[in-house]
Amino acid sequence: MSVDFTIHFQANLQIIGINPFVLIPPHQLAVIFNQIKKNKGVIKVLICVNGGEIFPQTLLKYKGDWRLYINTKILPNSPSRIGELLDIKLNLDFEDREIKMPIDLKGGLEKNPQAKEIFDNISPSLQKEIKRYISNLKTPQSIERNVKKAIEFLLGNGSFIGRKSISKK
Protein backbone atom coordinates (compact mmCIF):
# COMPACT_ATOMS: atom_id res chain seq x y z
CA MET A 1 0.00 0.00 0.00
CA SER A 2 1.38 3.38 -0.99
CA VAL A 3 0.26 6.44 0.96
CA ASP A 4 1.21 10.10 0.61
CA PHE A 5 1.13 11.09 4.26
CA THR A 6 -0.17 14.59 4.99
CA ILE A 7 0.62 14.65 8.70
CA HIS A 8 4.12 14.12 10.04
CA PHE A 9 5.38 14.70 13.58
CA GLN A 10 7.59 13.31 16.30
CA ALA A 11 6.34 12.36 19.74
CA ASN A 12 7.56 10.49 22.78
CA LEU A 13 5.93 7.14 23.47
CA GLN A 14 3.94 7.26 26.71
CA ILE A 15 1.81 4.74 28.56
CA ILE A 16 -1.54 4.79 30.31
CA GLY A 17 -2.32 1.59 32.19
CA ILE A 18 -0.80 -1.02 29.89
CA ASN A 19 -1.44 0.92 26.67
CA PRO A 20 1.43 2.71 24.89
CA PHE A 21 0.36 5.86 23.03
CA VAL A 22 1.50 9.19 21.65
CA LEU A 23 -0.17 12.55 21.96
CA ILE A 24 -0.82 14.42 18.72
CA PRO A 25 0.72 17.92 18.68
CA PRO A 26 -2.04 20.58 18.83
CA HIS A 27 -1.22 22.08 15.41
CA GLN A 28 -1.36 18.60 13.79
CA LEU A 29 -4.61 17.87 15.61
CA ALA A 30 -6.06 21.07 14.14
CA VAL A 31 -5.07 19.87 10.64
CA ILE A 32 -6.83 16.54 11.28
CA PHE A 33 -9.99 18.22 12.58
CA ASN A 34 -10.02 20.58 9.61
CA GLN A 35 -9.61 17.70 7.13
CA ILE A 36 -12.31 15.52 8.66
CA LYS A 37 -14.63 18.38 9.65
CA LYS A 38 -15.16 17.07 13.19
CA ASN A 39 -13.46 17.05 16.57
CA LYS A 40 -15.49 14.39 18.40
CA GLY A 41 -15.80 10.64 18.37
CA VAL A 42 -13.24 8.29 16.93
CA ILE A 43 -11.14 9.19 13.91
CA LYS A 44 -9.85 6.44 11.64
CA VAL A 45 -6.27 6.94 10.44
CA LEU A 46 -3.48 5.13 8.66
CA ILE A 47 -0.24 5.25 10.62
CA CYS A 48 3.42 4.64 9.88
CA VAL A 49 5.90 4.65 12.78
CA ASN A 50 9.64 5.05 12.24
CA GLY A 51 9.31 4.30 8.53
CA GLY A 52 7.78 0.87 9.13
CA GLU A 53 4.65 -0.70 7.72
CA ILE A 54 1.36 1.15 7.35
CA PHE A 55 -1.43 0.15 9.75
CA PRO A 56 -5.02 1.22 10.28
CA GLN A 57 -5.53 2.72 13.72
CA THR A 58 -8.05 4.85 15.55
CA LEU A 59 -7.37 8.21 17.12
CA LEU A 60 -9.58 8.80 20.13
CA LYS A 61 -10.05 11.16 23.03
CA TYR A 62 -9.49 9.68 26.46
CA LYS A 63 -9.24 11.56 29.76
CA GLY A 64 -9.18 14.89 27.92
CA ASP A 65 -6.39 14.08 25.46
CA TRP A 66 -6.45 12.80 21.88
CA ARG A 67 -4.37 9.62 21.95
CA LEU A 68 -2.94 7.50 19.19
CA TYR A 69 -2.34 4.06 20.65
CA ILE A 70 0.79 2.26 19.50
CA ASN A 71 0.36 -1.50 19.80
CA THR A 72 3.02 -4.15 19.28
CA LYS A 73 1.96 -4.73 15.66
CA ILE A 74 2.67 -1.09 14.87
CA LEU A 75 5.84 -0.92 16.98
CA PRO A 76 7.41 -4.19 18.16
CA ASN A 77 7.98 -4.28 21.94
CA SER A 78 6.16 -0.96 22.33
CA PRO A 79 5.46 -1.40 26.07
CA SER A 80 9.21 -1.64 26.75
CA ARG A 81 10.00 1.42 24.60
CA ILE A 82 8.27 4.08 26.72
CA GLY A 83 10.01 7.45 26.39
CA GLU A 84 11.38 6.70 22.90
CA LEU A 85 10.98 9.52 20.37
CA LEU A 86 8.94 8.17 17.46
CA ASP A 87 8.65 9.48 13.92
CA ILE A 88 4.94 9.36 13.08
CA LYS A 89 3.26 9.77 9.72
CA LEU A 90 -0.48 9.55 9.35
CA ASN A 91 -3.43 10.19 7.09
CA LEU A 92 -7.13 10.01 7.56
CA ASP A 93 -8.56 6.65 6.60
CA PHE A 94 -11.88 6.73 4.77
CA GLU A 95 -12.01 2.99 4.02
CA ASP A 96 -14.91 0.97 5.40
CA ARG A 97 -13.72 -1.10 8.35
CA GLU A 98 -16.95 -3.00 8.83
CA ILE A 99 -16.41 -6.56 9.94
CA LYS A 100 -18.73 -8.89 8.10
CA MET A 101 -20.71 -11.46 10.04
CA PRO A 102 -18.74 -14.73 10.06
CA ILE A 103 -20.85 -17.41 8.39
CA ASP A 104 -20.47 -19.84 11.32
CA LEU A 105 -21.56 -17.19 13.82
CA LYS A 106 -24.53 -16.29 11.63
CA GLY A 107 -25.51 -19.96 11.48
CA GLY A 108 -25.15 -20.35 15.24
CA LEU A 109 -27.32 -17.31 15.89
CA GLU A 110 -29.96 -18.49 13.42
CA LYS A 111 -30.16 -21.80 15.31
CA ASN A 112 -30.67 -19.94 18.60
CA PRO A 113 -33.27 -17.15 18.23
CA GLN A 114 -32.83 -16.00 21.84
CA ALA A 115 -29.08 -15.49 21.36
CA LYS A 116 -29.73 -13.77 18.01
CA GLU A 117 -32.17 -11.34 19.62
CA ILE A 118 -29.63 -10.53 22.35
CA PHE A 119 -26.84 -10.12 19.77
CA ASP A 120 -29.01 -7.78 17.70
CA ASN A 121 -29.64 -5.61 20.78
CA ILE A 122 -26.12 -5.34 22.22
CA SER A 123 -23.97 -2.34 21.41
CA PRO A 124 -22.47 -2.15 17.92
CA SER A 125 -19.00 -2.11 19.45
CA LEU A 126 -19.62 -5.41 21.28
CA GLN A 127 -21.10 -6.93 18.11
CA LYS A 128 -17.97 -5.86 16.25
CA GLU A 129 -15.73 -7.29 18.98
CA ILE A 130 -17.45 -10.68 18.80
CA LYS A 131 -17.41 -10.74 14.97
CA ARG A 132 -13.74 -9.70 14.89
CA TYR A 133 -12.76 -12.41 17.36
CA ILE A 134 -14.54 -15.17 15.43
CA SER A 135 -13.26 -13.81 12.08
CA ASN A 136 -9.63 -14.01 13.22
CA LEU A 137 -9.78 -17.67 14.23
CA LYS A 138 -7.94 -20.06 11.92
CA THR A 139 -9.12 -23.63 12.35
CA PRO A 140 -12.64 -24.97 11.87
CA GLN A 141 -12.41 -26.53 15.33
CA SER A 142 -11.58 -23.25 17.07
CA ILE A 143 -14.29 -21.44 15.11
CA GLU A 144 -16.91 -24.05 16.08
CA ARG A 145 -15.79 -24.07 19.73
CA ASN A 146 -15.81 -20.28 19.98
CA VAL A 147 -19.15 -19.83 18.23
CA LYS A 148 -20.61 -22.11 20.91
CA LYS A 149 -18.87 -20.04 23.61
CA ALA A 150 -20.22 -16.83 22.05
CA ILE A 151 -23.77 -18.19 22.04
CA GLU A 152 -23.47 -19.28 25.67
CA PHE A 153 -22.01 -15.87 26.58
CA LEU A 154 -24.94 -14.11 24.90
CA LEU A 155 -27.32 -16.31 26.88
CA GLY A 156 -25.59 -15.29 30.13
CA ASN A 157 -23.57 -18.47 30.63
CA GLY A 158 -19.82 -18.17 30.91
CA SER A 159 -17.33 -15.60 29.74
CA PHE A 160 -16.10 -14.71 26.26
CA ILE A 161 -13.58 -12.26 24.73
CA GLY A 162 -12.31 -11.35 28.17
CA ARG A 163 -15.78 -10.44 29.46
CA LYS A 164 -17.72 -12.06 32.25
CA SER A 165 -21.02 -10.61 31.11
CA ILE A 166 -22.50 -8.64 28.25
CA SER A 167 -22.85 -5.42 30.23
CA LYS A 168 -19.33 -4.99 31.64
CA LYS A 169 -15.80 -5.83 30.66
Side-chain angles (χ1 to χ4, degrees):
M1 170 187 334
S2 176
V3 175
D4 290 326
F5 289 101
T6 57
I7 298 165
H8 185 197
F9 62 93
Q10 292 186 325
N12 289 93
L13 189 62
Q14 301 178 47
I15 196 162
I16 188 165
I18 60 168
N19 301 306
F21 71 94
V22 295
L23 293 173
I24 311 295
H27 63 283
Q28 298 292 21
L29 209 45
V31 170
I32 293 168
F33 294 156
N34 187 48
Q35 286 180 354
I36 200 152
K37 307 291 186 231
K38 73 174 192 173
N39 63 359
K40 294 181 183 176
V42 297
I43 300 173
K44 297 183 304 181
V45 297
L46 294 173
I47 180 174
C48 175
V49 175
N50 293 343
E53 290 183 52
I54 299 167
F55 292 94
Q57 187 57 297
T58 305
L59 174 62
L60 56 99
K61 194 170 189 178
Y62 179 71
K63 291 194 174 185
D65 291 317
W66 283 91
R67 300 172 195 268
L68 184 61
Y69 290 93
I70 308 294
N71 60 38
T72 55
K73 277 187 176 179
I74 296 170
L75 182 68
N77 302 313
S78 58
S80 65
R81 297 171 73 170
I82 304 308
E84 184 176 324
L85 184 63
L86 304 179
D87 185 65
I88 311 265
K89 294 178 183 177
L90 61 87
N91 260 1
L92 294 174
D93 182 9
F94 296 102
E95 292 295 317
D96 181 18
R97 292 188 187 172
E98 179 185 353
I99 296 176
K100 299 198 183 326
M101 175 69 79
I103 198 151
D104 295 283
L105 179 58
K106 182 178 182 182
L109 292 171
E110 286 172 353
K111 289 177 187 171
N112 192 317
Q114 183 182 1
K116 181 175 181 353
E117 182 179 346
I118 293 166
F119 182 85
D120 290 344
N121 289 299
I122 61 177
S123 70
S125 63
L126 183 52
Q127 288 178 5
K128 182 178 181 179
E129 196 173 345
I130 292 170
K131 290 189 296 186
R132 178 186 298 126
Y133 186 85
I134 300 293
S135 293
N136 286 328
L137 296 171
K138 303 289 185 234
T139 68
Q141 297 84 1
S142 64
I143 292 169
E144 181 181 350
R145 182 176 61 251
N146 281 280
V147 165
K148 287 178 183 174
K149 285 173 90 173
I151 300 295
E152 287 300 310
F153 169 73
L154 290 166
L155 296 173
N157 305 318
S159 61
F160 187 65
I161 56 174
R163 293 173 181 254
K164 292 184 181 186
S165 71
I166 290 173
S167 60
K168 295 188 183 194
K169 230 178 182 179

